[in-house]
Structure formats: C-alpha cells, structure tokens
Amino acid sequence: METRLLGHERADTVLDVAAWANDLIGKDLPGQPGYRVIKVIQFQLVQLDAGYDAMVLVEVQNEGEFLNLKEADVEAIVDITSAVDDKI
C-alpha cells in the first residue's frame, strides 16, 4: 500500500469536500489509473474568502499488487500444506 496527497480547489462548503473525498474511495486515483483509493487517512481544509481548498491524504493500492489465485493453485497449496508434518 502507498499513500498519495490530493488537492481539491474552491469547494463551496465543507460538505462538498467531504462528498468529494468519500467519492474517491474504491475508484482509480485521478491521473494514475491502476491505483485504487482504499481509504482517506487525513484531510486538511483551508478557508478562503468564498469557500474552501482541501488536501486529502489517501491510501492507494496498485492493482498489480493484488494476488489472484486460480482454483488449481489453491488446490496445490492445500496439497502441499496438508503434507507438512505438524511435529515441531
């Protein structure tokens, strides 16, 4: 897992910032396809004369990091681990 810092400019309300940040979860990171946002770790608001800017620290996972096992792989792992002697 990695972290990324994202910015959001000129939101009208804090609710707009919260909605934007919550909408990031489960989607690809803007500008970096293949990196999916897992969760929002921290955010900071900057109040402007009219509205807010925000910085959001998110945890992302590269889709290449996911481990996809085939059924045959799972069966092989079960066979190998079941053959291991439990005596230590």
Side-chain angles (χ1 to χ4, degrees), residues 11-52:
D12 292 328
T13 66
V14 174
L15 290 175
D16 291 338
V17 173
W20 169 77
N22 286 333
D23 194 45
L24 292 170
I25 298 171
K27 295 184 178 163
D28 279 352
L29 193 62
Q32 292 188 331
Y35 284 88
R36 183 152 303 186
V37 176
I38 304 300
K39 67 180 177 180
V40 174
I41 298 172
Q42 187 175 2
F43 68 94
Q44 182 172 351
L45 294 172
V46 177
Q47 189 169 8
L48 306 172
D49 290 334
Y52 299 89

Side-chain angles (χ1 to χ4, degrees), residues 39-84:
K39 67 180 177 180
V40 174
I41 298 172
Q42 187 175 2
F43 68 94
Q44 182 172 351
L45 294 172
V46 177
Q47 189 169 8
L48 306 172
D49 290 334
Y52 299 89
D53 283 352
M55 294 184 299
V56 179
L57 184 64
V58 295
E59 186 173 282
V60 298
Q61 184 170 24
N62 185 334
E63 290 179 359
E65 294 175 353
F66 292 109
L67 180 61
N68 293 320
L69 296 176
K70 297 178 185 172
E71 186 176 344
D73 296 334
V74 173
E75 290 174 7
I77 292 169
V78 169
D79 290 343
I80 292 168
T81 56
S82 65
V84 173

